[in-house]
Amino acid sequence: MIKMKSIIIYYSNNGKTKIVAETLAKKLNTDIIGIEDKKERHGLRNKLKSSFDALTEKKTEISPNKIDLTEYNTVYFGTPVWYGKPTPAIMSIIDKSNLKDKNVVLFATMKGASAISTLKKMEEKIEPRGGRVIEKFSIKTKRKSKEKIIRDSEVISKILDLSI
């Protein structure tokens, strides 16, 4: 029997998406890779530029630049929501990924009320690359402790039965 292998690929600017990704990786026993954006995204001026980059779907230089997904059958992509859009870093790695015949799970963390447009935009990038989005979810992180974010992540993984 072939072992099904999964990986979580995420970008986190303030650490909350990282908490969700690490919780899921531990709970689901998956590999995990954090994407780094080479562009400075902290500070008021940079946050304004970052918001504009997300709104205009501008790509960014990332590390790692590409990830070999050949040994994985399921790929999770996680991102914070920036003005209703996925981050430039996660969109850049999706654009560089071969997702042919991969099951894909999308997740977003947010301060605001909805991640629907973020998840939809990611899904629109996944399908032309051969991936099948099998699940999407979001977790609200505003004013939540690390412990609460971990509990919410564990609950959603159980509710959605993400142990694919």
Side-chain angles (χ1 to χ4, degrees), residues 36-115:
E36 290 181 41
D37 191 330
K38 297 289 190 175
K39 194 171 189 178
E40 178 55 52
R41 300 287 183 186
H42 295 92
L44 181 60
R45 184 184 189 117
N46 291 327
K47 284 199 185 276
L48 290 172
K49 288 179 184 176
S50 297
S51 299
F52 182 76
D53 288 351
L55 283 169
T56 59
E57 300 179 25
K58 188 173 183 184
K59 300 301 176 275
T60 191
E61 196 176 319
I62 55 173
S63 177
N65 189 44
K66 196 168 184 180
I67 300 168
D68 182 3
L69 299 174
T70 52
E71 65 181 281
Y72 301 100
N73 67 312
T74 304
V75 181
Y76 294 71
F77 287 104
T79 183
V81 175
W82 286 0
Y83 288 87
K85 300 282 187 177
T87 58
I90 209 68
M91 293 304 276
S92 294
I93 195 65
I94 288 171
D95 278 349
K96 296 175 181 193
S97 296
N98 178 359
L99 299 171
K100 185 165 174 33
D101 299 324
K102 306 290 182 197
N103 292 322
V104 179
V105 177
L106 304 175
F107 67 94
T109 59
M110 70 218 173
K111 293 178 185 175
S114 178

Side-chain angles (χ1 to χ4, degrees), residues 137-139 152-162:
F137 66 93
S138 60
I139 295 179
D152 289 354
S153 302
E154 290 172 341
V155 166
I156 202 151
S157 75
K158 189 172 186 160
I159 289 170
L160 298 177
D161 192 20
L162 294 177

Side-chain angles (χ1 to χ4, degrees), residues 116-130:
I116 293 170
S117 61
T118 297
L119 295 169
K120 185 176 190 277
K121 182 54 70 179
M122 291 167 72
E123 187 170 17
E124 288 170 1
K125 291 283 187 178
I126 301 285
E127 291 174 344
R129 285 160 183 74

Side-chain angles (χ1 to χ4, degrees), residues 9-28:
I9 301 169
Y10 72 94
Y11 170 76
S12 187
N13 192 48
N14 65 14
K16 292 185 178 183
T17 307
K18 181 180 181 181
I19 294 168
V20 174
E22 288 177 344
T23 302
L24 293 173
K26 184 177 177 184
K27 187 103 174 126
L28 305 172

